Amino acid sequence: FLKQDAHVVSVFDTYVRPTLNPTLTPFSINLTGITQDQVNKAPTLPLVLKSYIEWLQSQHLVDSQGTPLLTPTTTTAKWCFVTWGDCDIGSTLRQECQYKSLDLPACFYNWINLKDVFAQHYHQEPKGGLRHCVESIGGLEWGDGHAHNGFVDSINTAKIVRHMVQTGFRFTRPTRGLNSKGIPFGSRETLIHPPTTTTTRYE
C-alpha cells in the first residue's frame, strides 16, 4: 500500500491453497518459485479474502464488507488497485470467485492497469515483461525475488508507481473496471454466478 507521497506503509502477503487442482505442476513451480509445501500450508481463498479485507480496513481504505471508503467531500474513493495487466483481477480472481460462489468485494471493481499509463509516462511500450520494464527505468532494480511470484511482482509494480509519482505523473482515475453485473466493461462474457456486491463507480 503506497501513501500519496509514494512510500510503503504496510504490506500483505500470503499464499492461497488451491482446492480444484491442489497439486502444482512443474511448470507452475518453475515459473513462480512457489513450492507445493508452501501452498499446502496456506489458507484457502475465502479465508484469504477475509484477511485481506481486514487488512485493507486496518488501513482505513474499506468498510467491513470491502466497499471502498469515500472521501469526506466527494462521493468517490480516492484509491484503487494498480496491477501489471488486467488478468489478476479482471480474469483470475473474478472467475475464481464466481466458480466458488464467493462475492467479489466491491473494492476490486476498479483498478489501474499500469501498462496503460507506462507508455504515456516513459515514452516506451511496456514490452518484455515486468522485470524488463523495471530494469529499463534508470535508478530502478528488480532486487531479490522470483518473477511471477505475486508478492515479488507487487513490490516491483509498486516501484514503478512510486517512480512515476516522484517524476511527476498523477494517477487520477482507474483504467479498467467491472460493470454492475461483475463483468469487465466491453466484455461479451456472461456470468457463472451473479454477484451480490455493489459497485463503487469513479467519475
Side-chain angles (χ1 to χ4, degrees):
F1 169 53
L2 288 173
K3 292 287 281 186
Q4 190 172 16
D5 52 354
H7 68 276
V8 178
V9 297
S10 184
V11 297
F12 180 94
D13 180 31
T14 182
Y15 296 108
V16 181
R17 177 161 52 88
T19 54
L20 180 61
N21 296 298
T23 302
L24 300 181
T25 64
F27 174 80
S28 296
I29 293 172
N30 290 332
L31 180 69
T32 64
I34 298 171
T35 68
Q36 185 67 51
D37 185 59
Q38 287 172 321
V39 297
N40 286 346
K41 295 177 179 177
T44 57
L45 181 60
L47 295 176
V48 170
L49 277 176
K50 181 177 183 296
S51 296
Y52 188 61
I53 294 304
E54 288 173 351
W55 175 70
L56 290 176
Q57 191 176 12
S58 75
Q59 302 301 314
H60 310 291
L61 296 175
V62 301
D63 63 19
S64 61
Q65 301 302 311
T67 301
L69 298 181
L70 306 181
T71 62
T73 57
T74 70
T75 58
T76 60
K78 296 297 290 185
W79 73 277
C80 70
F81 296 107
V82 178
T83 64
W84 188 253
D86 291 324
C87 64
D88 290 335
I89 297 177
S91 298
T92 305
L93 177 61
R94 180 180 62 86
Q95 292 175 353
E96 186 78 2
C97 286
Q98 289 177 8
Y99 182 81
K100 295 180 176 178
S101 298
L102 299 173
D103 287 340
L104 182 67
C107 58
F108 291 106
Y109 270 50
N110 294 280
W111 66 93
I112 295 171
N113 180 348
L114 195 59
K115 291 181 179 180
D116 291 340
V117 294
F118 182 94
Q120 176 185 344
H121 186 65
Y122 294 111
H123 306 291
Q124 64 182 45
E125 292 300 318
K127 296 180 178 179
L130 176 59
R131 181 165 189 159
H132 173 79
C133 290
V134 169
E135 294 176 343
S136 73
I137 300 171
L140 294 189
E141 296 181 355
W142 182 264
D144 297 330
H146 203 297
H148 302 293
N149 175 298
F151 185 62
V152 175
D153 283 358
S154 295
I155 290 174
N156 284 280
T157 299
K159 288 179 182 179
I160 297 177
V161 171
R162 180 170 54 203
H163 187 269
M164 290 177 67
V165 171
Q166 292 174 341
T167 53
F169 190 85
R170 185 184 178 202
F171 292 89
T172 58
R173 60 178 59 87
T175 65
R176 293 289 189 271
L178 308 179
N179 63 24
S180 60
K181 296 181 180 180
I183 300 174
F185 288 111
S187 172
R188 297 181 179 179
E189 180 182 340
T190 57
L191 281 176
I192 300 173
H193 301 290
T196 59
T197 53
T198 58
T199 305
T200 299
R201 294 292 303 277
Y202 293 75
E203 301 297 331

